[in-house]
Amino acid sequence: MQKNRLQSGGRIDRTQVLNFRFNGRAYQGCAGDTLASALLANGVYLIGRSFKLHRPRGIVGSGAEEPNAIVQIGSGAATLPNQCATQVLLYEGLDANSLRGWPSVQFDVGSITNWFSRFLAAGFYYKTFMAPRKLWSFYEKLIRDSAGWGHAPTKADPDFYEHRNAHCDVLIAGAGPAGLMAALAAANSGARVIIADEQSEFGGRLLSQTDEIDSMAATDWVAQAINTLAQHENVRMLPRSTVFGYFDHNFVTIAEHCTDHLGAHKHTTVRERLWRVRARQVILAQGAFERPLVFCNNDRPGVMLASAVSTYVNRYGVCPGREVVVFANNDSAYRCALDLDAAGASVKAVIDSRATGAGDLQQEVEALGITVMTGHVVTNTLGSQQIRAVQIAKFSIEGTVPATLPAQDLVTIQCDLLAMSGGWSPAVHLHSQSGGRITWSEELHCFVPDGTTQNCVSAGAGNGAWELHDCLRQGLEAGKAAIEYCGLEISDLAEPKTEGIETNSLQPLWRVPAVKAPDRCPKQFLDFQNDTSVADVRLAVREGYRNVEHVKRYTALGFGTDQGKLGNINGMAVLAEYLGEPIANVGTTTFRPAYTPTSFGTCAGETVGQLFDPVRKTAIHEWHEAAGAKFETVGQWLRPWYFPDGDEDLDAAVKRECLATRRSVGIMDASTLGKIDVQGPDAVKFLERIYTHDVGKMKVGRCAYGIMLGEDGMLKDDGVMARLGEQHFYLTTTTGGAASVMSWLELWLQTEWPDLDVYLTSVTDHYSTISVAGPTSRQLLQAIDCDTSLDAADFPFMSTQTATLCNLPVRLFRVSFSGELAFEINVASDHALTLWCALMDAGKNFDITPYGTESMHVLRAEKGFVIVGQDTDGSVTPTDLHMSWMLASDKDFLGKRSLRRPDALRADRKQWVGLIPADKTTVIAEGTQLIEDTAARAPVPMCGHISSSYDSPTLGHPIALALLKGGLERAGEKVYASLANGKAVPMTVTSPVFYDPQGERQRD
Amino acid sequence: MKYSALNLLRNGLRHNRDWPEAWRHPEPKSHYDVIIVGGGGHGLATAYYLAKEHGLRNIAVLEKNWIGGGNTARNTTIVRSNYLWTEAALLYEKSMQLWEGLSNDLNYNVMFSQRGVYNLGHTLQDMRDIERRVSANRLNGLDAEIVTPDQLKRAIPALNTSASARYPILGASLQRRAGVARHDAVAWGFARAADALGVDIIEQCEVTGIERRNNKVTGVQTSRGHITADKVGVVVAGHASVLANMAGLRLPIQSHPLQAFVSEPLKPVLDTVVMSNAVHGYVSQSDKGELVIGAGIDAYNGYGQRGSFATIEHALQAIIELFPSFSRLRLLRLWGGIVDVCPDACPIISKTPVNGLYFNCGWGTGGFKATPGSGWAFAHTIARNRPHELNAPFSLDRFATGALVDEHGAAAVAH
Amino acid sequence: MLLIECPWCGQRAETEFSYGGEAGITRPIDPSALDDAEWADYLYMRNNPCGSIKELWNHSQGCRRWFGVERDTVSYKIAGSFKLYAGEEK
């Protein structure tokens, strides 16, 4: 039975009954309800417990400002923690639970902390838990276990999300009266308009009030406006869409909530969509938040914002109380009294702190026989888990707010609902995010937008316009101004007619005095969620935390899930009082995204899981997969790591692959190497500046090993360069360096040497590269119809030529990274698989063996070839790597000057050596540090580290490559590899070239 | 008044009306022996150690806004010392040792929580780098170990250790003594302790000029007037270049936006700190329950304390890659700081060509963890007019000699 | 997210570009003539202005051209984009 549900009225559908559960109990609500309105309809007031003191808490607001009614929705992988009951749309089968309270929210053992609250004042944890030091982890566990709200899911998110980019002329945030009016104005002019509102329905406050516009009910006017907008193709309406971020250059982010309100679904459609909007003009019309009043025990369930009460009555057909007291310092709450009266509740009194009372509305209220007590305040509430009564007292401000109220004056009024209004604060969040200033209005007693830095304008209650006609007018003006800015024709839309009323101005009342001083009286809450009270702010000031940021951080004011939407302004005003300064001087804190909490998944979009980063596969990948290759991740690439034969492990496979390559022929997919085509009259001049060697001396058809340095003189990348023509070169780079080297060349060419006539083309994906290495590699190529002579005399080592293999045009390079006779074959990627298969086929006669990156690493390590990024780390010069011979003396090249810096000339630099374990059996882990003194204590001096280490199949014992201090001069010496278990393995320093030092095999 | 459980009780009984100011709010004097420009964690720590370790008393910390309001308030609170190069590791380890006793030393609970930091490896090269770093850490006397995916799965149930991940996790390094601390408390604790030793902490006092005569510093101009000083130490993360310009110096520094964000508070779901260079994400859970997540540096130079949303999107993609179950959690609040980045990703704690003028800057993303150690070393440098051996490698000269401490390069590049 | 005008392609989102730092740092014509401090100044020292900066951007996800942008490092407002060399048309 929905005991608080009204018989008629509201925007809910009473014929559609929805079943839901809260804390395990079954309830019913109606289609159109929020969880909060459904709970109130069922008379459920106690929703949760507060963060620190475990005080009973109920629903305060009706939207994003709600600090108390925070619940967990559902369970399992799709559970949602920390949901605002005021923003959760009710659906059939909804299952919600309170987040705090053990064993139950009604009886919460943790509420014992409330008794000790005087010892738990702001910042108490900074002053204790320090001794004994060892116990901190124990204290911390207690703190962590008692903190936190909801429970994170433990399984992967079953839903998915998407990003959508949009451009528009006018983006309107908020579809209340101002937003709708702006949209109508802009739509008429043909502008591309996006209007977004976080609620399920457009209309904003008009859905909660009983106003008339153009002589019709405001809700009818809203329907008409939506209808009009829907007829414009140039207008995109986004309900359930929160504008949560305003970034530079009018980039605005909107989270559209697509499925949560549907309840159980199969996760087959997008749950939330992130709109990334670049708007020419933004109109901010998000409205305003009503402020609570600050008095003792103002946090009891049944104390609600007056506007929220009106919303529940008018929009949801729920009357949240039978006997109601209204407490306000301004006129707007009188509407709540009228709404409650119309709903059949008994309004026991309207308590108005102002001696003057209200304007026209007061007469209306009094005409209904409702008592209005001006010059009075509510100073305390009574009750336990729901409000039972309020204590009121006479009140007047003579110069300053009185410090305390006389106890004998207190009058108690029984009630089950207190509707309060402390005035309104414009939602300036997005304006502030955009970089706009906000200033304190002494007239309106709130922060208002003041000056923009981007193309945006605020309108309506968000701009401090409280009255409906002002909102409509500002919306209209904003819409027209936006149109004018966009250079479109302004429509002649007229301002709708509304009835104005006389109001009295608000009385600033930031805290209501009690019969005792704030630090002795029952708590007067500023921030409900974090239990920040007036006494806490007072204590912070007393302790010297004076800046508003210090106070906020010290007291946790505004750090809850509601981000201080309710409490911050009251908190700042109280701070100003204790500092003895005007509020304007206290300033405000910067509002940061997100306006309301936004799902990680929404921000991430579709770029998650296997789409997190593109996977690059070579043209031959499917063959490798079929062959059972294990793959290694290298940048975005997947490269065959090794090809196990049966259940071979890495070591066995590598041994087999290496030996086969040394003995007969191995084949490897080297397609991931970066490849750059360089052409142009100034190609030589350009490459001379990039590479260290004499590029100009290279003959056409010849290859050279080339290195390039950063301007700091450190090795940047290496590869083979081939001269294909007088003005035509072909460069290879490392796999990981492909993109960065291309960018590096472009950078210099475009920014420093634009006079050079050179053209660069990345051909990495265009050509696949197949490397065939081993003594029988030449015969293998000949066996698949090579059309040119491959003899050493005709096609010598370090040269290149075009050819056809199996009738496929290819370019052959006689280069070797294994030390064996080898050919690298470049073939158009479309033909790569065909060629690979032909080679494998023909290779059967030569014991051909495919090998992966691990064997490639071993083979080159046996030859002492460097792998940039494994053996180097950005702090290695060519000299360190025995490559001084590659540094041309008669030209400048990038990085050359740095090689003369004192540090580059140090004799004890770490230099490239080979190492062999003295016992010839221990394989040392790559990365292991080298030491000389095995008896030294920490910090133990390190003389180098092992960058590559393998059990060499060819040599029959382990080998390692290392960077060793002064290594160039230390052949034959002994150093120690320091193992994780504390042991030190003696290693003998050798040349880094372990195999075929004369290089006869590769030149064969 | 000493902070203790007993005094908490006593004051509670008196309705907390007797707590004194944590630090005074004095007017600036006309002269100080040492002026520290910048009231962040590093500046306050410098002043504290100048007073405590070097016996100086006539010290001022000048802060243009509110203390601890720059990067001290804007970081992800991670503390670790497991750097690769010995020079960096020893400096950060000094800091770590100070962290370990800091709450008691300052009599202010900075909530230093040694819950461990995992640095994940996703590629074979990552694992080589981890092996190299852990090996170096161990020899340098730091605690460091390598853990397997199985161990990770047990320690961090929410972590995606599946081999089918886009970038499968192959292992990680673990520093158990590493962890997180309460960032604001660090500034406040140092301020209170420095104040107790006589240091004047002067907020809302912006330095607008650095005065020199005969290449010797003589004082500063501020928004609150002219103040003379024998020595001036500048430690203004985010604005080092601006202050350097006032003294006619140029620094090898670029200022970039660095963003971070928190989720809503949750029940404990992550008991340690997880960092991944390869997918660019790092995350821990605050004692309050928020997941604290750091994004990558925004590419462009910026003093705006804000960056681009695309950077946030990317950070969250990385976090979901690591923790697929975090996808339904919500971003509560994001913010930006300004980081001063040096070419070698290491700081400058150094004398300058101007006598009596010292700079401490260029911490990049690593400043918070270094707070006590940085202050300790900078205090030594200022008091003795020469660097301590721990910060000698971090001089301004290294950019001319080429003796960089290349923590950047150590993250590896090509392959 | 910044909105950057590529002089060749028009306005595009920041994510299409990569950053190149301060513009106008010219490589010395004869590096060998510089002493270590002068070389370090070219290599590492930057003005890093708090305010207006001329900087390099590359339309790396588009035409791959480098160009200049004048931007405020505090407000992030862009005053305009410019080609690096007059008559650049390649």
Side-chain angles (χ1 to χ4, degrees):
Chain A
M1 193 192 69
Q2 301 176 35
K3 67 177 194 178
N4 287 339
R5 182 74 72 188
L6 298 172
Q7 292 303 314
S8 62
R11 305 181 63 74
I12 45 143
D13 181 353
R14 287 174 179 73
T15 63
Q16 262 199 71
V17 173
L18 301 175
N19 296 289
F20 70 102
R21 298 178 82 80
F22 178 64
N23 286 339
R25 275 194 63 179
Y27 297 97
Q28 290 187 330
C30 299
D33 263 328
T34 62
L35 174 59
S37 68
L39 286 168
L40 286 170
N42 285 280
V44 179
Y45 290 90
L46 177 62
I47 309 293
R49 295 273 172 169
S50 67
F51 198 81
K52 187 161 85 173
L53 303 177
H54 293 250
R55 290 170 66 100
R57 291 287 165 79
I59 295 160
V60 178
S62 58
E65 75 284 2
E66 175 60 42
N68 287 341
I70 309 295
V71 297
Q72 182 103 16
I73 303 287
S75 57
T79 188
L80 288 168
N82 299 351
Q83 300 292 297
C84 243
T86 52
Q87 292 185 299
V88 173
L89 296 178
L90 197 68
Y91 53 81
E92 176 66 28
L94 185 147
D95 180 24
N97 284 286
S98 295
L99 288 174
R100 297 180 86 77
W102 182 85
S104 73
V105 70
Q106 284 82 12
F107 178 77
D108 179 11
V109 170
S111 61
I112 186 170
T113 53
N114 191 32
W115 303 348
F116 297 113
S117 66
R118 63 165 64 178
F119 307 113
L120 306 175
F124 78 93
Y125 31 78
Y126 300 129
K127 296 172 180 157
T128 184
F129 303 136
M130 284 178 278
R133 221 176 82 190
K134 286 215 157 76
L135 274 185
W136 167 242
S137 60
F138 167 75
Y139 295 134
E140 188 181 39
K141 183 164 182 347
L142 290 184
I143 293 172
R144 288 191 67 201
D145 286 345
S146 66
W149 285 106
H151 298 271
T154 53
K155 295 215 165 61
D157 191 345
D159 275 306
F160 60 96
Y161 304 81
E162 74 174 18
H163 284 179
R164 233 176 122 166
N165 295 320
H167 296 260
C168 66
D169 295 315
V170 187
L171 171 72
I172 301 163
L180 284 174
M181 204 61 225
L184 289 170
N188 271 347
S189 304
R192 291 177 303 165
V193 176
I194 296 176
I195 176 167
D197 193 287
E198 64 180 351
Q199 302 224 19
S200 56
E201 282 190 87
F202 279 10
R205 65 188 258 189
L206 298 177
L207 305 176
S208 305
Q209 294 182 351
T210 52
D211 306 83
E212 290 198 340
I213 302 177
D214 278 345
S215 307
M216 58 180 120
T219 48
D220 292 337
W221 183 84
V222 169
Q224 191 183 60
I226 293 170
N227 208 9
T228 308
L229 292 173
Q231 285 161 19
H232 285 89
E233 282 183 4
N234 50 324
V235 176
R236 183 187 293 282
M237 291 189 283
L238 297 174
R240 286 189 311 278
S241 299
T242 311
V243 182
F244 70 90
Y246 196 141
F247 300 87
D248 286 293
H249 301 180
N250 261 19
F251 182 79
V252 177
T253 50
I254 306 172
E256 181 183 5
H257 307 270
C258 307
T259 59
D260 277 1
H261 64 293
L262 300 176
H265 66 105
K266 297 202 178 74
H267 311 292
T268 50
T269 57
V270 168
R271 175 174 171 239
E272 289 179 6
R273 180 177 292 120
L274 177 73
W275 289 85
R276 305 194 284 191
V277 183
R278 188 79 69 173
R280 293 179 75 183
Q281 185 82 24
V282 176
I283 296 173
L284 300 174
Q286 311 108 289
F289 291 111
E290 194 165 24
R291 293 190 291 252
L293 284 159
V294 179
F295 46 90
C296 297
N297 293 314
N298 60 340
D299 65 327
R300 257 190 237 295
V303 180
M304 296 176 69
L305 294 173
S307 59
V309 172
S310 288
T311 298
Y312 290 114
V313 170
N314 293 327
R315 182 167 173 186
Y316 297 106
V318 174
C319 189
R322 293 271 169 269
E323 300 190 312
V324 190
V325 173
V326 177
F327 175 29
N329 64 346
N330 68 89
D331 283 26
S332 67
Y334 283 74
R335 290 184 195 277
C336 173
L338 297 172
D339 294 335
L340 283 162
D341 186 82
S346 157
V347 180
K348 311 264 299 247
V350 175
I351 313 294
D352 192 329
S353 67
R354 300 171 294 181
T356 56
D360 294 348
L361 287 171
Q362 184 175 343
Q363 289 160 22
E364 260 188 75
V365 166
E366 285 175 334
L368 296 170
I370 296 171
T371 310
V372 174
M373 300 174 74
T374 58
H376 277 73
V377 290
V378 172
T379 182
N380 193 8
T381 72
L382 306 176
S384 58
Q385 298 197 343
Q386 192 189 343
I387 190 169
R388 175 165 55 76
V390 295
Q391 291 181 318
I392 65 166
K394 281 209 182 96
F395 175 77
S396 63
I397 299 177
E398 280 142 18
T400 56
V401 177
T404 56
L405 298 173
Q408 64 274 18
D409 287 0
L410 293 188
V411 175
T412 301
I413 303 178
Q414 305 292 321
C415 63
D416 60 3
L417 176 68
L418 173 63
M420 60 179 168
S421 175
W424 294 81
S425 298
V428 293
H429 304 65
L430 291 173
H431 171 81
S432 175
Q433 282 184 31
S434 81
R437 266 200 328 269
I438 55 175
T439 52
W440 183 256
S441 163
E442 289 296 347
E443 185 189 345
L444 297 170
H445 305 287
C446 60
F447 284 105
V448 290
D450 176 27
T452 57
T453 59
Q454 301 206 41
N455 285 333
C456 73
V457 58
S458 292
N463 196 34
W466 308 143
E467 294 306 321
L468 181 55
H469 59 90
D470 287 331
C471 291
L472 292 167
R473 184 176 39 81
Q474 285 194 3
L476 182 62
E477 283 168 3
K480 287 182 173 175
I483 294 312
E484 191 173 3
Y485 175 82
C486 295
L488 298 168
E489 198 178 321
I490 298 172
S491 72
D492 55 357
L493 192 66
E495 186 186 331
K497 290 192 179 54
T498 53
E499 211 172 306
I501 55 164
E502 283 295 312
T503 58
N504 280 352
S505 57
L506 167 146
Q507 177 184 50
L509 178 63
W510 306 112
R511 62 177 185 88
V512 178
V515 295
K516 290 180 185 167
D519 34 23
R520 309 200 61 161
C521 68
K523 290 204 176 283
Q524 303 158 311
F525 287 98
L526 294 163
D527 181 319
F528 293 114
Q529 192 172 100
N530 285 318
D531 286 324
T532 308
S533 67
V534 171
D536 288 323
V537 171
R538 188 175 186 183
L539 174 62
V541 172
R542 184 178 292 140
E543 293 195 81
Y545 301 89
R546 295 182 177 178
N547 187 282
V548 61
E549 284 288 352
H550 284 157
V551 173
K552 282 184 60 180
R553 287 155 186 272
Y554 195 63
T555 65
L557 174 74
F559 277 90
T561 58
D562 58 323
Q563 295 279 286
K565 291 186 178 70
L566 281 192
N568 270 6
I569 303 299
N570 286 335
M572 275 184 251
V574 169
L575 171 62
E577 181 193 334
Y578 288 128
L579 291 174
E581 291 194 39
I583 296 172
N585 288 12
V586 170
T588 180
T589 56
T590 316
F591 293 88
R592 306 178 191 289
Y595 170 64
T596 55
T598 304
S599 300
F600 286 1
T602 311
C603 299
E606 49 282 90
T607 313
V608 293
Q610 290 303 311
L611 297 181
F612 172 66
D613 205 22
V615 181
R616 293 180 79 182
K617 298 173 180 173
T618 72
I620 309 165
H621 186 85
E622 60 185 76
W623 189 93
H624 304 320
E625 265 189 335
K630 301 287 182 194
F631 290 91
E632 177 192 3
T633 303
V634 184
Q636 293 175 327
W637 288 102
L638 283 182
R639 298 191 70 181
W641 186 16
Y642 61 101
F643 291 86
D645 190 357
D647 51 7
E648 258 182 345
D649 65 5
L650 172 69
D651 292 341
V654 165
K655 185 171 183 187
R656 178 179 49 74
E657 291 171 13
C658 288
L659 289 176
T661 304
R662 294 257 182 255
R663 194 170 47 226
S664 51
V665 63
I667 180 169
M668 163 166 163
D669 182 357
S671 302
T672 63
L673 283 182
K675 308 172 201 65
I676 300 170
D677 185 275
V678 182
Q679 301 192 40
D682 294 319
V684 170
K685 212 169 174 182
F686 174 62
L687 293 174
E688 288 279 22
R689 296 175 185 178
I690 298 287
Y691 284 89
T692 64
H693 67 282
D694 278 318
V695 176
K697 287 187 188 153
M698 288 175 66
K699 294 201 169 62
V700 173
R702 297 295 296 181
C703 302
Y705 175 65
I707 56 171
M708 59 180 74
L709 312 182
E711 276 284 60
D712 61 358
M714 303 302 158
L715 187 66
K716 183 180 177 66
D717 205 78
D718 70 346
V720 168
M721 165 197 288
R723 188 165 193 173
L724 306 184
E726 281 303 325
Q727 303 181 359
H728 188 183
F729 288 81
Y730 164 86
L731 320 176
T732 64
T733 74
T734 58
T735 297
S740 65
V741 168
M742 182 71 186
S743 299
W744 178 248
L745 302 185
E746 288 174 324
L747 170 71
W748 287 100
L749 195 54
Q750 292 181 35
T751 66
E752 204 70 34
W753 309 316
D755 51 312
L756 297 186
D757 198 358
V758 178
Y759 299 85
L760 306 171
T761 311
S762 168
V763 292
T764 302
D765 294 309
H766 187 82
Y767 298 113
S768 291
T769 303
I770 298 169
S771 177
V772 181
T776 56
S777 56
R778 183 180 283 126
Q779 289 148 270
L780 171 63
L781 297 200
Q782 281 160 347
I784 55 164
D785 305 330
C786 183
D787 70 339
T788 55
S789 165
L790 301 176
D791 291 348
D794 299 325
F795 188 28
F797 184 56
M798 295 306 276
S799 62
T800 178
Q801 62 175 327
T802 55
T804 64
L805 292 175
C806 306
N807 292 320
L808 296 172
V810 299
R811 175 170 282 282
L812 299 176
F813 300 87
R814 254 209 76 186
V815 295
S816 177
F817 198 44
S818 58
E820 297 299 327
L821 169 66
F823 299 87
E824 278 187 6
I825 310 164
N826 268 16
V827 60
S829 285
D830 283 351
H831 297 151
L833 188 55
T834 308
L835 180 59
W836 178 277
C837 291
L839 285 161
M840 286 305 298
D841 221 25
K844 281 176 192 154
N845 297 331
F846 304 95
D847 182 27
I848 193 167
T849 302
Y851 65 93
T853 51
E854 190 67 19
S855 291
M856 173 190 84
H857 283 201
V858 175
L859 292 167
R860 65 85 209 184
E862 290 171 342
K863 278 292 295 174
F865 293 139
V866 167
I867 290 186
V868 174
Q870 175 172 343
D871 299 307
T872 70
D873 60 8
S875 67
V876 181
T877 68
T879 308
D880 298 339
L881 296 167
H882 311 250
M883 292 178 181
S884 299
W885 61 274
M886 294 184 64
L887 308 176
S889 57
D890 53 355
K891 67 162 186 176
D892 186 31
F893 52 82
L894 295 181
K896 188 177 190 183
R897 172 64 185 81
S898 287
L899 299 175
R900 271 207 292 122
R901 295 186 296 175
D903 197 67
L905 301 173
R906 266 192 302 120
D908 67 342
R909 287 186 65 81
K910 286 168 77 172
Q911 291 150 341
W912 177 244
V913 297
L915 296 175
I916 296 174
D919 65 4
K920 290 217 167 181
T921 53
T922 313
V923 183
I924 312 292
E926 289 169 342
T928 301
Q929 298 286 339
L930 300 171
I931 58 172
E932 281 160 17
D933 179 359
T934 55
R937 320 201 98 187
V940 181
M942 287 166 257
C943 57
H945 77 280
I946 290 172
S947 56
S948 296
S949 174
Y950 313 94
D951 193 1
S952 165
T954 313
L955 302 171
H957 62 76
I959 58 168
L961 296 166
L963 288 162
L964 177 67
K965 274 191 182 170
L968 288 176
E969 309 290 332
R970 295 179 66 169
E973 287 185 25
K974 191 157 286 178
V975 294
Y976 296 88
S978 174
L979 305 191
N981 59 13
K983 290 199 178 126
V985 178
M987 310 284 288
T988 308
V989 180
T990 70
S991 155
V993 186
F994 297 96
Y995 181 68
D996 187 22
Q998 305 308 316
E1000 284 158 5
R1001 296 177 69 90
Q1002 63 196 18
R1003 267 194 288 272
D1004 181 18
Chain B
M1 188 185 297
K2 188 171 156 52
Y3 287 169
S4 66
L6 188 66
N7 271 332
L8 209 54
L9 209 61
R10 246 185 231 153
N11 279 282
L13 292 173
R14 291 202 289 265
H15 303 281
N16 293 306
R17 275 184 298 196
D18 298 333
W19 289 112
E21 279 192 318
W23 63 90
R24 296 164 296 125
H25 296 75
E27 285 299 309
K29 292 190 258 184
S30 62
H31 174 83
Y32 288 97
D33 296 344
V34 181
I35 284 177
I36 302 299
V37 183
H42 289 231
L44 295 163
T46 305
Y48 172 68
Y49 290 115
L50 274 171
K52 184 184 174 226
E53 304 270 330
H54 304 281
L56 294 170
R57 285 294 179 271
N58 191 24
I59 305 166
V61 177
L62 307 184
E63 166 55 48
K64 74 170 171 183
N65 208 328
W66 42 287
I67 61 165
N71 288 351
T72 305
R74 294 161 191 277
N75 61 82
T76 50
T77 80
I78 297 170
V79 175
R80 61 184 177 92
S81 64
N82 57 349
Y83 281 71
L84 170 67
W85 298 103
T86 296
E87 296 87 339
L90 295 184
L91 179 66
Y92 284 101
E93 178 59 18
K94 170 70 189 175
S95 198
M96 175 73 87
Q97 286 163 10
L98 291 170
W99 275 112
E100 287 178 324
L102 198 60
S103 291
N104 287 303
D105 187 24
L106 301 179
N107 182 230
Y108 202 107
N109 192 347
V110 299
M111 302 187 172
F112 178 46
S113 167
Q114 294 179 289
R115 57 180 70 176
V117 170
Y118 292 84
N119 293 83
L120 304 179
H122 300 262
T123 64
L124 296 175
Q125 185 57 39
D126 283 353
M127 294 314 294
R128 288 181 198 109
D129 292 335
I130 284 173
E131 184 78 43
R132 179 181 173 194
R133 182 161 45 76
V134 165
S135 178
N137 289 167
R138 222 170 18 78
L139 289 166
N140 274 325
L142 284 63
D143 75 301
E145 57 198 277
I146 294 177
V147 293
T148 64
D150 278 347
Q151 289 171 300
L152 282 167
K153 182 79 213 162
R154 280 195 296 277
I156 314 166
L159 187 66
N160 180 15
T161 48
S162 149
S164 63
R166 173 64 187 89
Y167 287 107
I169 295 167
L170 305 183
S173 73
L174 165 61
Q175 186 178 27
R176 291 185 192 272
R177 286 160 64 237
V180 292
R182 171 87 181 106
H183 54 333
D184 293 325
V186 176
W188 300 338
F190 271 118
R192 176 167 168 270
D195 176 90
L197 295 172
V199 173
D200 282 359
I201 295 162
I202 299 161
E203 298 178 81
Q204 311 294 335
C205 181
E206 181 172 5
V207 170
T208 54
I210 295 174
E211 297 177 339
R212 290 151 290 154
R213 198 179 310 128
N214 302 329
N215 199 37
K216 159 112 186 53
V217 80
T218 57
V220 293
Q221 286 154 3
T222 79
S223 56
R224 292 171 70 169
H226 167 82
I227 308 173
T228 61
D230 300 336
K231 293 177 175 180
V232 174
V234 179
V235 49
V236 289
H239 284 77
S241 298
V242 177
L243 270 289
N245 281 344
M246 292 179 193
L249 303 174
R250 253 154 70 92
L251 295 175
I253 273 180
Q254 312 261 25
S255 298
H256 289 274
L258 176 65
Q259 302 180 84
F261 52 94
V262 292
S263 74
E264 298 172 296
L266 298 151
K267 284 291 170 193
V269 62
L270 179 63
D271 299 329
T272 183
V273 184
V274 177
M275 313 179 70
S276 167
N277 282 344
V279 303
H280 301 294
Y282 44 108
V283 56
S284 65
Q285 188 175 21
S286 74
D287 283 347
K288 207 183 160 201
E290 299 152 324
L291 291 176
V292 184
I293 298 171
I297 292 182
D298 277 273
Y300 46 83
N301 289 32
Y303 287 85
Q305 294 193 329
R306 62 187 193 283
S308 296
F309 191 67
T311 311
I312 300 299
E313 290 172 3
H314 188 69
L316 279 167
Q317 287 154 5
I319 292 301
I320 294 173
E321 165 73 3
L322 298 176
F323 298 95
S325 61
F326 287 1
S327 165
R328 297 173 86 81
L329 307 181
R330 297 192 296 181
L331 185 161
L332 180 63
R333 182 175 64 251
L334 75 85
W335 64 87
I338 313 165
V339 292
D340 286 343
V341 179
C342 264
D344 55 357
C346 275
I348 296 164
I349 312 174
S350 181
K351 296 169 68 172
T352 68
V354 179
N355 290 325
L357 179 65
Y358 309 84
F359 262 77
N360 180 346
C361 58
W363 289 93
T365 61
F368 180 72
K369 63 178 76 71
T371 303
S374 159
W376 188 90
F378 198 36
H380 185 284
T381 308
I382 294 170
R384 308 283 175 86
N385 194 34
R386 61 183 155 77
H388 187 272
E389 62 179 28
L390 283 179
N391 66 305
F394 300 99
S395 74
L396 205 41
D397 301 340
R398 73 180 189 269
F399 298 97
T401 64
L404 274 62
V405 186
D406 200 351
E407 287 286 339
H408 251 330
V413 270
H415 199 55
Chain C
M1 184 153 67
L2 308 182
L3 183 63
I4 297 169
E5 175 146 1
C6 169
W8 283 272
C9 308
Q11 290 191 329
R12 295 287 195 280
E14 176 197 330
T15 42
E16 290 189 20
F17 299 87
S18 51
Y19 189 61
E22 262 170 65
I25 296 162
T26 310
R27 188 167 198 271
I29 291 170
D30 182 7
S32 66
L34 304 186
D35 68 24
D36 289 334
E38 289 166 334
W39 180 246
D41 197 80
Y42 154 71
L43 261 190
Y44 300 122
M45 301 301 164
R46 296 293 178 265
N47 290 327
N48 192 24
C50 183
S52 179
I53 185 175
K54 283 186 179 165
E55 59 194 9
L56 295 174
W57 286 86
N58 180 236
H59 195 186
S60 48
Q61 306 292 313
C63 66
R64 294 191 67 84
R65 298 307 306 252
W66 284 94
F67 58 96
V69 169
E70 188 174 348
R71 187 177 62 92
D72 187 296
T73 57
V74 181
S75 72
Y76 299 176
K77 286 228 156 106
I78 290 177
S81 298
F82 54 93
K83 296 180 181 180
L84 296 178
Y85 295 94
E88 203 179 21
E89 267 158 29
K90 271 197 326 200

